[in-house]
């Protein structure tokens, strides 16, 4: 238990799948630390663990794709959150397409955007990738029930933080 647990235990943030492509390698992971971080200009930050395969690919990428999942997409979330790209080709198990600017876009994601990496911020065991949205796709009518942290509670991480 940490001093922050009383606060963070009340949170139930949206979860995202972030994909990266660099040097001919694809990677993707489930991310719980992400948020819009500026209005003008629009910026969004995703935090990737220094321990995972996606971070190692993303640190050389100039674009990342960020995907929302529907609440019922537990299997997709488990693949990207519970498996590691060090051992598994996640993209052999999912429908995807080449996205804008050489990115990878998951076909089953209800909404996504591709962002240019503006800066990387070391936050401790995670690095924040500050993105400028370039292109987006997916549902624009109505609000989907999105996959949240509480939906991911049964997923054991592919790479623990420590």
């Amino acid at each position: 238990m940490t001093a922050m647990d009383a606060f963070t235990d009340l949170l139930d943030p949206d979860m995202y799948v972030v994909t990266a492509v660099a040097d001919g390698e694809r990677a993707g992971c489930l991310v719980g630390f992400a948020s819009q971080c500026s209005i003008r200009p629009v910026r969004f930050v995703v935090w990737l663990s220094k321990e995972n395969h996606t971070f190692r690919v993303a640190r050389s990428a100039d674009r990342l794709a960020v995907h929302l999942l529907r609440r019922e997409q537990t299997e997709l979330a488990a693949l990207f959150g519970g498996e590691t790209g060090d051992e598994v080709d996640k993209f052999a198990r999912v429908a995807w397409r080449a996205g804008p600017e050489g990115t990878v876009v998951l076909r089953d994601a209800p909404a996504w955007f591709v962002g240019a990496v503006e800066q990387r911020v070391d936050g401790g065991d995670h690095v924040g990738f500050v993105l400028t949205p370039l292109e987006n796709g997916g549902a624009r009518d109505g609000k989907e029930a999105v996959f949240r942290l509480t939906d991911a509670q049964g997923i054991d991480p592919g790479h623990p933080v420590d």
Side-chain angles (χ1 to χ4, degrees):
M1 300 287 282
T2 69
M4 282 294 293
D5 287 344
F7 181 84
T8 59
D9 286 351
L10 297 175
L11 302 178
D12 193 17
D14 297 343
M15 302 290 286
Y16 305 87
V17 171
V18 175
T19 59
V21 178
D23 303 322
E25 190 171 7
R26 295 182 306 243
C29 65
L30 188 65
V31 172
F33 302 150
S35 175
Q36 185 172 342
C37 60
S38 177
I39 296 170
R40 288 191 193 100
V42 174
R43 297 281 193 271
F44 194 91
V45 65
V46 294
W47 295 88
L48 302 178
S49 169
K50 293 177 183 177
E51 297 295 321
N52 76 34
H53 180 250
T54 303
F55 168 74
R56 291 190 299 278
V57 174
R59 68 182 171 195
S60 298
D62 58 357
R63 306 285 188 262
L64 299 178
V66 180
H67 307 78
L68 280 171
L69 301 180
R70 289 180 198 88
R71 177 159 272 148
E72 66 271 10
Q73 290 180 295
T74 306
E75 287 183 31
L76 188 57
L79 174 63
F80 282 93
E83 301 286 343
T84 173
D86 293 322
E87 300 169 3
V88 172
D89 178 2
K90 299 173 190 180
F91 298 95
R93 299 182 183 181
V94 298
W96 62 275
R97 66 175 180 83
E101 312 254 353
T103 58
V104 172
V105 173
L106 302 178
R107 289 190 184 273
D108 293 333
W112 57 269
F113 79 90
V114 168
V117 178
E118 298 298 335
Q119 63 179 299
R120 292 166 178 87
V121 180
D122 191 325
D125 58 16
H126 284 64
V127 171
F129 290 74
V130 179
L131 307 174
T132 296
L134 301 173
E135 191 169 331
N136 64 71
R140 297 190 66 67
D141 56 337
K143 192 158 174 105
E144 299 266 351
V146 298
F147 195 85
R148 295 184 172 277
L149 180 62
T150 52
D151 301 316
Q153 287 182 349
I155 300 172
D156 292 323
H159 272 288
V161 174
D162 297 320

